Amino acid sequence: MKSDLPGRSFEFARRVVLLCRGLDERPGVPRILANQLLRAGTSIGANIEEAQASQSKADFLSKYSIACKEARETLYWLRLLAATEVVPEHRLSDLLTECNELIAILTAIIRKLRSDDR
């Protein structure tokens, strides 16, 4: 069964870009937070994509571990945007849910790969 994770993470990144476009038009805090979110939110899929061409299991695990860290950072920025009311929480709920799901999937894959090594 082929994983839909590369496609899912790409779609997530696309949605992050669209959100950040609107925030980037606002000066000050919204723009700064948008830049942080943009870097982290698009890095998830980039690392998953890189892992698809990994040279070894260790390389694959490394890329997925980085993707998981970036997903956790993305979740932080999304939560901060909601908590500071820069973006209404209801506008972020789908992204928050998807980000949590990506974290869960990545964590499960990483744990499985690590347990296979034991």
Side-chain angles (χ1 to χ4, degrees):
M1 178 172 99
K2 187 161 170 55
S3 170
D4 71 335
L5 196 53
R8 242 178 118 163
S9 60
F10 181 88
E11 176 59 20
F12 180 79
R14 185 188 71 78
R15 292 171 60 203
V16 166
V17 168
L18 294 175
L19 172 63
C20 289
R21 267 193 194 161
L23 292 174
D24 197 45
E25 295 170 358
R26 296 166 50 191
V29 171
R31 179 175 291 160
I32 292 166
L33 294 178
N35 289 334
Q36 294 290 104
L37 175 62
L38 185 63
R39 284 187 191 98
T42 57
S43 182
I44 301 164
N47 280 287
I48 289 170
E49 198 61 43
E50 275 190 63
Q52 305 312 303
S54 59
Q55 296 174 327
S56 66
K57 184 176 176 182
D59 187 29
F60 184 88
L61 180 59
S62 174
K63 298 296 185 216
Y64 266 52
S65 295
I66 293 167
C68 191
K69 286 180 183 182
E70 295 293 339
R72 289 183 181 281
E73 182 181 344
T74 301
L75 183 62
Y76 174 85
W77 296 121
L78 288 170
R79 289 176 51 226
L80 187 60
L81 284 170
T84 57
E85 299 176 353
V86 172
V87 178
E89 189 169 355
H90 72 272
R91 281 196 51 217
L92 298 174
S93 63
D94 288 347
L95 277 174
L96 286 161
T97 298
E98 182 65 5
C99 194
N100 275 310
E101 289 178 11
L102 288 171
I103 291 167
I105 293 165
L106 289 163
T107 300
I109 291 169
I110 292 164
R111 283 187 180 148
K112 172 81 170 103
L113 289 170
R114 287 185 178 148
S115 72
D116 288 349
D117 284 344
R118 292 182 184 155

